[in-house]
């Protein structure tokens, strides 16, 4: 058992909270419009946690605050108990937080291997950042990237340019690249968007494997079957406020969620029963 899994199990067995991420009364406005209002929830270490809600609920803004793109007007983002105020995105990566985006941000003209190696940038020294990537046979970074690709079943594509690969494979490669910074918390912004059923299932299997390696997942997605099959905990937002935070299994029984997110109310539920 990996040490991180032991830690998760210890806290769970003893009924203790062990959040890797804590959001404490996060508020944010743009142009006088309140986008987030006192949002608070924990993401437990080792968990698979979803953040869902209708379009415009504030999910992307919250993700941007967690990753350091925006600063909150009020409230705190605590990563492993440490306040991230004033810490830019690039330095949050070094603290164990990595992110993939809804729109794929791979370099289409580079190979799979080159793209994955770019994910190691946060672990380079300053002088390394101004040198060409070292693709020699003895390169430690190259060997690590190849091993990581192989461990997720992508070795057949390592020499191809990203632009020549199917969309579903590119989504997996972006996740693998995010893992090269050795995160403890991985943020995933709509990872299943644009995927067909088979690709979605393949991505879910990959993310389950990522989770099994002790990495905490926090994802935004609108694909509820995908969320239900992957995640254990879910936080639901509507109009910038948190309206539910708890097990995925209890989501369908929450009246506020049925009204705001699923478009149902208690009376319609009873009439359809």
């Amino acid at each position: 058992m990996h040490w991180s899994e032991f830690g998760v199990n210890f806290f769970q067995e003893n009924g203790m909270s062990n959040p890797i991420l804590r959001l404490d009364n996060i508020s944010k406005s743009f142009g006088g419009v309140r986008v987030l209002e006192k949002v608070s929830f924990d993401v437990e270490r080792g968990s698979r946690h979803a953040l869902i809600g209708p379009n415009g609920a504030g999910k992307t803004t919250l993700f941007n605050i967690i990753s350091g793109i925006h600063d909150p007007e009020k409230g705190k983002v605590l990563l492993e108990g440490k306040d991230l105020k004033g810490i830019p995105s690039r330095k949050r990566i070094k603290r164990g937080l990595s992110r993939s985006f809804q729109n794929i941000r791979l370099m289409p003209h580079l190979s799979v291997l080159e793209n994955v190696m770019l994910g190691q940038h946060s672990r380079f020294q300053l002088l390394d950042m101004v040198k060409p990537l070292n693709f020699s046979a003895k390169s430690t970074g190259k060997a690590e990237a190849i091993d990581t690709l192989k461990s997720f079943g992508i070795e057949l594509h390592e020499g191809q340019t990203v632009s020549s690969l199917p969309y579903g494979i590119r989504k997996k490669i972006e996740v693998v690249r995010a893992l090269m910074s050795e995160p403890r918390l991985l943020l995933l912004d709509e990872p299943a968007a644009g995927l067909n059923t088979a690709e979605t299932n393949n991505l879910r299997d990959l993310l389950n494997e990522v989770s099994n390696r002790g990495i905490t997942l926090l994802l935004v997605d609108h694909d509820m079957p995908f969320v239900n099959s992957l995640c254990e905990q879910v936080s639901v937002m509507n109009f910038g406020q948190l309206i539910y935070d708890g097990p995925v299994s209890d989501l369908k029984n929450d009246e506020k969620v049925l009204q705001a997110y699923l478009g149902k109310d208690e009376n319609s539920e009873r009439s359809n029963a």
Side-chain angles (χ1 to χ4, degrees), residues 22-36:
R22 171 162 288 172
L23 304 179
D24 183 14
N25 286 312
I26 301 296
S27 295
K28 182 70 176 178
S29 298
F30 292 105
V33 177
R34 182 69 79 182
V35 179
L36 297 173

Side-chain angles (χ1 to χ4, degrees), residues 93 98-99 105-124 128-135 139 141-142 144-146 149 162 173-182:
I93 296 173
S98 189
R99 177 179 178 177
R105 299 193 177 189
L106 299 173
M107 306 289 252
H109 60 286
L110 297 181
S111 71
V112 172
L113 181 60
E114 290 167 334
N115 270 283
V116 170
M117 289 183 69
L118 286 173
Q120 300 167 328
H121 68 90
S122 65
R123 294 153 51 198
F124 290 164
D128 294 325
M129 293 298 294
V130 297
K131 295 178 182 178
L133 287 172
N134 185 355
F135 294 112
S139 167
K142 179 179 180 181
E144 179 185 347
I146 291 174
L149 283 165
V162 165
I173 292 167
E174 185 165 56
V175 172
V176 172
R177 182 175 69 175
L179 296 176
M180 297 307 295
S181 64
E182 299 182 346

Side-chain angles (χ1 to χ4, degrees), residues 176-234:
V176 172
R177 182 175 69 175
L179 296 176
M180 297 307 295
S181 64
E182 299 182 346
R184 294 180 294 281
L185 172 62
L186 177 60
L187 306 183
L188 300 152
D189 191 356
E190 299 201 30
L195 301 183
N196 61 36
T197 301
E199 291 170 335
T200 299
N201 291 338
N202 286 334
L203 179 65
R204 180 199 60 214
D205 293 343
L206 182 146
L207 293 177
N208 272 321
E209 175 59 27
V210 171
S211 176
N212 290 338
R213 299 183 185 193
I215 298 171
T216 305
L217 305 179
L218 175 61
L219 64 94
V220 168
D221 214 289
H222 291 284
D223 187 332
M224 288 309 299
F226 174 71
V227 169
N228 288 333
S229 65
L230 176 65
C231 297
E232 309 141 329
Q233 294 290 121
V234 61

